[in-house]
Amino acid sequence: GKMKKFFMIFIMCILIFSCNKNEKDKVETVETKPTQENLFKNIDVDKLATRLEEVLLENGIKVDDFKDLDSDEKAFYYSTLNGSTGEVLTINYESLTPTAILAKIENVDANKMELIKKISFSVIKASDINITDEEADKIFEELLQKLDESVSVSVTYSNGLNYGIDITGEEMIFYVK
């Protein structure tokens, strides 16, 4: 009597516990996938190219046409912006997995600050779709402040990505790695 009842309750508890555990595991795997897709390194290069085109367009900048280029054992997609060879967007990748996004802006002067901000802001937003506008602004502002002391600056953000600016002469490169 009592032993059988105890045994049944014991079995029920084990079943309930194992069912709950399975459901919890399922929930976790569903949650982790989108979390990673937000980061540019976890989507393929074509998806990233499309994402960049969309985000830049939202900020009034047209990606002309991504072309595939192989040089020095490295593969990358590149495109001019707004029909200007002075602004070029590049996606570095290895076996179709993006490794870096670079935006090169030539003839940098005060007149181009708005364009530089829009391009940099767009690259930040496309690198991690979970970043808010405020966070993207903050990353860009932090890099600009650091430029007072150096021509090559970078910030590692909480998402693990490294954002930076390199200036050589009249040319500026904004990158995320």
Side-chain angles (χ1 to χ4, degrees), residues 29-132:
T29 42
V30 168
E31 280 173 17
T32 49
K33 201 171 194 297
T35 324
Q36 294 171 334
E37 288 252 320
N38 60 327
L39 298 177
F40 83 95
K41 292 181 178 186
N42 296 334
I43 59 175
D44 71 47
V45 69
D46 291 312
K47 268 191 187 163
L48 178 58
T50 305
R51 185 190 286 181
L52 280 161
E53 285 170 9
E54 288 167 0
V55 177
L56 279 153
L57 203 57
E58 283 168 21
N59 291 293
I61 296 160
K62 184 181 181 310
V63 174
D64 298 318
D65 182 25
F66 272 112
K67 293 178 178 63
D68 217 350
L69 207 74
D70 284 315
S71 81
D72 308 326
E73 303 295 309
K74 286 192 179 148
F76 53 93
Y77 266 21
Y78 78 100
S79 174
T80 52
L81 300 174
N82 288 339
S84 162
T85 53
E87 288 87 46
V88 178
L89 187 65
T90 307
I91 302 170
N92 294 6
Y93 67 91
E94 283 166 33
S95 58
L96 295 182
T97 303
T99 54
I101 307 169
L102 297 93
K104 184 180 79 175
I105 298 131
E106 292 175 356
N107 308 318
V108 172
D109 60 21
N111 301 333
K112 285 206 174 168
M113 266 324 286
E114 189 56 35
L115 177 69
I116 290 167
K117 186 177 180 352
K118 280 182 179 177
I119 292 173
S120 303
F121 178 84
S122 301
V123 169
I124 294 168
K125 293 281 289 180
S127 72
D128 179 353
I129 52 175
N130 290 350
I131 286 182
T132 63

Side-chain angles (χ1 to χ4, degrees), residues 151-169:
V151 291
S152 183
V153 297
S154 69
V155 172
T156 301
Y157 195 60
S158 57
N159 59 11
L161 297 178
N162 192 353
Y163 298 90
I165 295 175
D166 287 327
I167 295 176
T168 45

